Amino acid sequence: MKEDINGFKNIRMVDNFYQTSSFIPMPTIEISTLDENGNTNIGSYSLCFPYYIAGKDYYAMILECRNSSNTCKNLLRTKKCALNFITDKPKYFKEAVRLGFPGETTEEKMKDCIFSLVDGKRAKEDKNGKYPKVIKEAYQVFECTWDDSLDNAFNDKVEEEYNGPYHNFNGITSKFGAHFILKIDNILIKEKYYDAIINGVSASGFPSVPVDYGYRDSKNFWYTTFKRPRKEPIPKNKGVGLDSVKYAASRIDPEVKFSDEACAMLVKVPRVFLTMVLRGCVDWAKENNVTLITEKEMKIINDKRSKEKK
């Protein structure tokens, strides 16, 4: 009998522990890449998460995969991919399970694919380039390029077997594994969800996202379908007072000032993020030759897609 530890059992960790020893909520992503003949291949992945989210000169995702997979080989060759986020329709997840089965060629895998493949933004803007197609049925797509400069992974290439030395976090990372830091070139999103982000999201504005439980047994992959999301207001006592905002704003930069109305719009910002938010406002002001940030400028800054609205 396993030892009881305050109501917990200690379970043995083995390879693929996220599937065999635990339950981890994960996304369902179809990754499209180009094979050696320039044809789009699709592989299903859940180990794909945000990596660089702020403070860098680009944003990035991290992908973990087998180094024998078509996706890995194609990324090593071309450095290009698209992350296609599908909804929770049963037929889509069934197809995701099929497309995740290893060992098939692109021709074999894609012959009966139910997804519609179309050009993305990169292909539209670069007529002479070659890019993997994106899935039309996806609710959003990240077009990405592998940054092989990180961890000195630029010399990695397709091999029959990888015997090291291995990288720590980018490129070929073990005898069987690979990690790819994927620079996000474009985020493409369907109009309904674009409008929700720009104009304010409500419960009905969320896409029907499947959650992969991580765990699978010898017969099935397990996932859950979408349920109406619940909202939980941010506690009022977690923000900062107006006087504290005004004090911080008056000292953030000698050239850029904030009106009282602008400061009032920042009282709900958690204290730990206030300086970062103020610096972001100052950066915007200097880029736009603004020396006094008023309520008008704050509304522009708060619009996450202000450049698209110009």
Side-chain angles (χ1 to χ4, degrees), residues 43-165:
S44 301
Y45 290 89
S46 287
L47 296 177
C48 190
F49 310 97
Y51 190 74
Y52 287 149
I53 61 169
K56 303 287 286 187
D57 58 355
Y58 66 87
Y59 303 105
M61 301 285 284
I62 183 169
L63 167 67
E64 304 170 47
C65 65
R66 292 176 296 103
N67 57 33
S68 59
S69 68
N70 290 328
T71 299
C72 175
K73 294 175 182 177
N74 294 342
L75 275 168
L76 290 174
R77 290 191 192 100
T78 72
K79 302 181 177 57
K80 303 182 186 74
C81 70
L83 312 181
N84 303 271
F85 294 75
I86 59 173
T87 59
D88 66 351
K89 288 185 178 181
K91 66 178 182 179
Y92 290 170
F93 198 84
K94 182 176 182 179
E95 181 71 342
V97 172
R98 186 186 73 82
L99 291 171
F101 193 82
E104 293 184 320
T105 65
T106 298
E107 183 178 12
E108 292 169 335
K109 179 183 287 191
M110 301 302 295
K111 181 177 62 174
D112 299 316
C113 181
I114 69 170
F115 294 124
S116 306
L117 299 181
V118 296
D119 285 338
K121 187 173 186 286
R122 291 181 297 186
K124 183 178 180 180
E125 294 177 343
D126 181 9
K127 301 297 184 182
N128 296 321
K130 187 68 175 177
Y131 301 93
K133 298 207 179 267
V134 306
I135 294 177
K136 187 175 183 179
E137 292 84 358
Y139 67 86
Q140 70 181 15
V141 178
F142 292 3
E143 293 190 298
C144 299
T145 301
W146 175 39
D147 186 351
D148 64 351
S149 67
L150 299 174
D151 209 6
N152 296 317
F154 45 81
N155 288 325
D156 285 1
K157 58 183 182 296
V158 177
E159 304 280 2
E160 286 296 322
E161 186 175 340
Y162 298 96
N163 295 309

Side-chain angles (χ1 to χ4, degrees), residues 121 185-191 193-195 197-199 284 300 303-310:
K121 187 173 186 286
D185 300 317
N186 302 301
I187 294 180
L188 312 179
I189 191 165
K190 289 293 178 63
E191 184 175 4
Y193 308 115
Y194 173 94
D195 291 341
I197 290 175
I198 297 301
N199 300 317
W284 178 90
I300 296 174
D303 182 349
K304 295 180 181 179
R305 299 292 186 269
S306 60
K307 292 183 179 180
E308 295 181 18
K309 286 191 169 185
K310 288 182 180 180

Side-chain angles (χ1 to χ4, degrees), residues 18-53:
Y18 68 97
Q19 290 181 323
T20 56
S21 306
S22 60
F23 300 94
I24 300 178
M26 298 186 295
T28 302
I29 301 175
E30 302 305 303
I31 301 184
S32 49
T33 54
L34 292 174
D35 69 7
E36 60 269 36
N37 298 315
N39 299 314
T40 295
N41 177 85
I42 296 178
S44 301
Y45 290 89
S46 287
L47 296 177
C48 190
F49 310 97
Y51 190 74
Y52 287 149
I53 61 169

Side-chain angles (χ1 to χ4, degrees), residues 1-14 17 20-22:
M1 183 176 178
K2 296 295 184 181
E3 179 187 5
D4 181 271
I5 308 171
N6 293 321
F8 293 94
K9 301 290 186 182
N10 183 41
I11 193 169
R12 184 170 66 96
M13 286 183 288
V14 296
F17 68 90
T20 56
S21 306
S22 60

